[in-house]
Amino acid sequence: MVRFNDKKQPVTSENHPRVSHRRSTSVGWCRLASSVMKDRRPLPFRIRVPGYDSIDTGGIISISIKLEGLLHVEEETISLEWSATRTVEAVSMDGIKDEVDQSPLGSCEVPMSHLLEARIRGGWWSPRLELRAGRLGSFEEIPTAQNGILKLRIRRCDRDFAKSICGVIGDAQNLTAGDNSDVPRLKE
């Protein structure tokens, strides 16, 4: 079935109103990377940390952990800083207890050369930025990072900014992939 637009022309990919025709050239990505670098705006994120609930004869206890932070893109590194809030709620025969503990700030810097991939995952309800490193120890200081993969939950309104950060990381990987001056060579 052929669809027609309001000018009675067949709808194709060239004249479809929802299809944008952007050229993915390195010049476009360079402009995107320079805008992210000039902006210096951090990307706010959250990390899901599993909590703990217990019901027994001594009472009911619920422990929840909320971890929030900022991701900064710099010229050759990505730096992450975060803070965790631990909330303990307990009900027992002794009474009701409600404690909130704030942890000290944590930080980690990862060189762009250690990152292999940056992707936006999830749909409308739970977008997240997933960073994959080439070394298992790159994210060892960050809670919930496993096997060199870090999943950062982001707000929907920051999704486009996170995509531009993915582009910057991808460009950095393309530039370092062409630089093989430090790769050892076998002599013939």
Side-chain angles (χ1 to χ4, degrees):
M1 181 174 162
V2 177
R3 294 176 43 196
F4 294 94
N5 62 12
D6 56 344
K7 295 180 183 176
K8 304 296 183 199
Q9 298 171 342
V11 175
T12 62
S13 62
E14 284 81 25
N15 64 4
H16 195 280
R18 290 189 211 142
V19 176
S20 65
H21 298 283
R22 294 185 197 150
R23 292 180 298 169
S24 60
T25 62
S26 60
V27 174
W29 282 114
C30 289
R31 271 192 242 125
L32 183 65
S34 65
S35 68
V36 169
M37 299 301 281
K38 284 179 190 174
D39 193 10
R40 298 280 185 195
R41 178 175 66 130
L43 177 67
F45 66 86
R46 293 180 328 249
I47 296 178
R48 178 175 283 180
V49 180
Y52 172 76
D53 296 318
S54 173
I55 301 174
D56 59 9
T57 56
I60 301 169
I61 188 166
S62 176
I63 300 173
S64 61
I65 301 170
K66 183 174 149 183
L67 198 139
E68 296 179 326
L70 298 172
L71 179 137
H72 300 274
V73 177
E74 290 155 17
E75 291 180 13
E76 295 185 12
T77 61
I78 287 186
S79 51
L80 298 137
E81 55 186 12
W82 65 89
S83 175
T85 304
R86 184 176 147 220
T87 305
V88 178
E89 298 168 329
V91 177
S92 66
M93 297 302 265
D94 297 335
I96 299 173
K97 181 174 88 171
D98 193 9
E99 292 180 2
V100 177
D101 297 326
Q102 186 76 28
S103 72
L105 290 175
S107 64
C108 175
E109 285 193 7
V110 180
M112 290 259 200
S113 60
H114 289 194
L115 295 175
L116 294 178
E117 183 179 31
R119 306 171 83 172
I120 301 292
R121 296 286 191 142
W124 177 256
W125 295 109
S126 62
R128 60 191 180 277
L129 174 64
E130 190 173 289
L131 301 173
R132 189 167 62 98
R135 298 181 183 186
L136 295 177
S138 294
F139 300 126
E140 70 184 353
E141 300 168 15
I142 303 170
T144 72
Q146 294 179 342
N147 300 328
I149 297 174
L150 177 64
K151 296 176 182 175
L152 306 173
R153 295 190 172 275
I154 58 174
R155 297 181 304 194
R156 283 190 295 268
C157 63
D158 290 329
R159 193 179 175 105
D160 290 335
F161 185 57
K163 282 182 185 178
S164 65
I165 289 174
C166 289
V168 169
I169 292 169
D171 282 348
Q173 295 312 311
N174 291 338
L175 293 175
T176 57
D179 180 24
N180 294 327
S181 60
D182 60 340
V183 176
R185 304 268 184 214
L186 293 174
K187 294 184 180 179
E188 295 179 11

